[in-house]
Amino acid sequence: MRILFVVCGEGLGHASRSTKLAKYLQKQGHTCLFAAYAKGYSFIKKQGDFELFETCREVTLEGDGGYFDLAKTVSSSIGIPKALLKSFFGIRKILKNKNIDVLICDTMFAAGVAAKTLGIPVFFITNQNHFSSLAFPDAVYWKLFGAVIGRYLVTIPKAVLVPDFAEPNTVSEFNFDIKEKHKNKFRFIGPILDDDIKSHQTSRESVFASFGGEPFKMPMYAMLKEIAEEKKDILFEVFSTSPGLPKESSNFKTSEYIQSLYPHMAKASVTILHGGLTTLHESLYFNKPVIMIIDPYHPEQGNNGLKIEKMSAGIMIRGDTITKEILSGAIDRALEMKPVSLTHLFEEQNGCINACRIIEETQK
């Protein structure tokens, strides 16, 4: 099959999991192409394995002082109708010119409608149909947004591929509200990870930190640098694709883009993340206690954090209350934690294998 992935380019989580799945599909004999934008486009381009097209963004995520800002996001996305139309026609052209058999959308919407008009099967990758933030858990705008997205998910794609464990172990459990009549539409396929993750030996040598690719997260890295200056006996390995990381020191090492985070995460004693599903799964795979610095205004991270705490696998800190002392204390506590191993779940629920099976069934 010729499969086109259309990927949200805000941050790296969407591009990361989609390229992992695409690499597996190519090993099974399929041809995978990509369309993306911004950071997602740059990330996929560096993979070097796929024919890649640039598409337009449908929404622009904005922040203020290190946190997601809905008002600024709405203001920056005032041209959404025009962007959706541009995306629709651009992707429709690729679908026709490249003789695409299957479309996979990772949190991109116009492409699914374009494929639907051509009779091309659509699959949608997401780990959310319910939206709420820690700061405003019952906000009307999130409920309205969820209603619109929820309607799309049950009408456009043949199936929604959820890259997470089936219940009761779903990390994104609190980001879903699925009606009984729609349960068959949502397929919990398991985490999407690279096969080579199994080749990395684990150890306890460092504190691993990656808050995502958004440039408005940089103040948190500066705070971590101050902690490293006080904890000279701990090696901190810090990763961000945005410019502006603090200067390196003997125990504070920084990196921008690297091909794989697995070797660094495998040797960590603790991981410090921002609550995105992909990196949380990777931390769980290596059985690392995780500190989640949560954006309290973000409609996903807090809910993931609540479930991780419920699993006794980590510590959640609200970003709007964080101080150097709070983060330093969380590191000390996390170093003493021993999460329950989930190795059996990763072996039983392989997202790449299950997604491939579901997609291939459409061509029989």
Side-chain angles (χ1 to χ4, degrees), residues 35-51:
Y37 64 92
K39 286 184 176 292
Y41 178 89
S42 299
F43 177 87
I44 296 166
K45 187 175 182 179
K46 289 173 181 176
Q47 302 295 301
D49 298 326
F50 311 105
E51 186 173 359

Side-chain angles (χ1 to χ4, degrees), residues 127 161-166 169-173 176 187-192 277 281 304 349:
N127 47 277
L161 305 178
V162 182
D164 202 352
F165 299 119
N169 302 299
T170 310
V171 176
S172 54
E173 173 188 350
F176 279 100
R187 312 290 291 273
F188 287 76
I189 59 176
I192 295 175
L277 185 63
H281 278 149
N304 289 341
Q349 301 181 45

Side-chain angles (χ1 to χ4, degrees), residues 254-265:
T254 65
S255 299
E256 295 182 356
Y257 173 82
I258 60 173
Q259 192 71 20
S260 175
L261 291 173
Y262 289 168
H264 306 276
M265 194 175 285

Side-chain angles (χ1 to χ4, degrees), residues 14-52:
H14 304 283
S16 175
R17 67 189 179 193
S18 287
T19 51
K20 289 177 175 65
L21 175 56
K23 288 176 182 178
Y24 179 83
L25 290 170
Q26 293 204 145
K27 289 180 181 178
Q28 311 313 308
H30 304 296
T31 299
C32 294
L33 301 82
F34 273 83
Y37 64 92
K39 286 184 176 292
Y41 178 89
S42 299
F43 177 87
I44 296 166
K45 187 175 182 179
K46 289 173 181 176
Q47 302 295 301
D49 298 326
F50 311 105
E51 186 173 359
L52 174 63

Side-chain angles (χ1 to χ4, degrees), residues 132 134 174 275 294-295 298-307 316:
S132 66
L134 291 179
F174 301 129
I294 298 299
D295 179 345
H298 193 281
E300 174 197 356
Q301 295 176 5
N303 288 329
N304 289 341
L306 289 172
K307 183 56 182 284
M316 178 169 65

Side-chain angles (χ1 to χ4, degrees), residues 174-189:
F174 301 129
N175 286 315
F176 279 100
D177 182 11
I178 304 172
K179 295 180 180 179
E180 187 65 33
K181 63 180 179 180
H182 296 144
K183 283 193 173 180
N184 290 338
K185 176 75 82 167
F186 292 81
R187 312 290 291 273
F188 287 76
I189 59 176

Side-chain angles (χ1 to χ4, degrees), residues 55-265:
T55 188
C56 65
R57 63 174 12 109
E58 296 176 351
V59 64
T60 301
L61 300 183
E62 295 285 358
D64 182 23
Y67 310 113
F68 176 81
D69 189 302
L70 180 65
K72 285 190 175 183
T73 295
V74 171
S75 177
S76 297
S77 304
I78 199 70
I80 283 178
K82 183 178 179 180
L84 288 171
L85 280 174
K86 186 176 180 182
S87 176
F88 173 88
F89 287 111
I91 297 302
R92 198 173 192 273
K93 183 178 180 180
I94 297 172
L95 292 168
K96 294 173 69 175
N97 290 347
K98 293 298 179 178
N99 298 313
I100 300 300
D101 299 303
V102 171
L103 175 72
I104 300 178
C105 300
D106 193 328
T107 322
M108 292 285 279
F109 299 92
V113 180
K116 194 85 169 179
T117 65
L118 296 172
I120 296 173
V122 180
F123 294 90
F124 200 95
I125 300 178
T126 187
N127 47 277
Q128 189 168 30
N129 79 335
H130 168 75
F131 301 83
S132 66
S133 64
L134 291 179
F136 303 107
D138 300 315
V140 173
Y141 48 77
W142 288 131
K143 292 181 180 180
L144 291 173
F145 186 65
V148 172
I149 299 304
R151 181 61 181 168
Y152 177 98
L153 294 177
V154 299
T155 56
I156 299 300
K158 292 183 70 68
V160 178
L161 305 178
V162 182
D164 202 352
F165 299 119
E167 58 182 11
N169 302 299
T170 310
V171 176
S172 54
E173 173 188 350
F174 301 129
N175 286 315
F176 279 100
D177 182 11
I178 304 172
K179 295 180 180 179
E180 187 65 33
K181 63 180 179 180
H182 296 144
K183 283 193 173 180
N184 290 338
K185 176 75 82 167
F186 292 81
R187 312 290 291 273
F188 287 76
I189 59 176
I192 295 175
L193 304 174
D194 275 329
D195 281 343
D196 72 345
I197 197 169
K198 303 172 185 176
S199 66
H200 299 285
Q201 297 296 317
T202 61
S203 59
R204 293 173 60 85
E205 304 173 25
S206 63
V207 169
F208 171 100
S210 177
F211 304 142
E214 301 88 351
F216 55 87
K217 297 286 177 66
M218 302 316 294
M220 298 178 186
Y221 289 109
M223 184 183 296
L224 194 63
K225 172 67 182 293
E226 293 182 21
I227 294 172
E229 291 174 352
E230 296 176 357
K231 297 181 182 294
K232 293 292 188 180
D233 58 330
I234 298 177
L235 171 64
F236 289 77
E237 289 198 318
V238 178
F239 302 84
S240 175
T241 57
S242 296
L245 283 173
K247 290 183 179 180
E248 287 194 345
S249 65
S250 60
N251 70 321
F252 189 85
K253 304 300 181 182
T254 65
S255 299
E256 295 182 356
Y257 173 82
I258 60 173
Q259 192 71 20
S260 175
L261 291 173
Y262 289 168
H264 306 276
M265 194 175 285

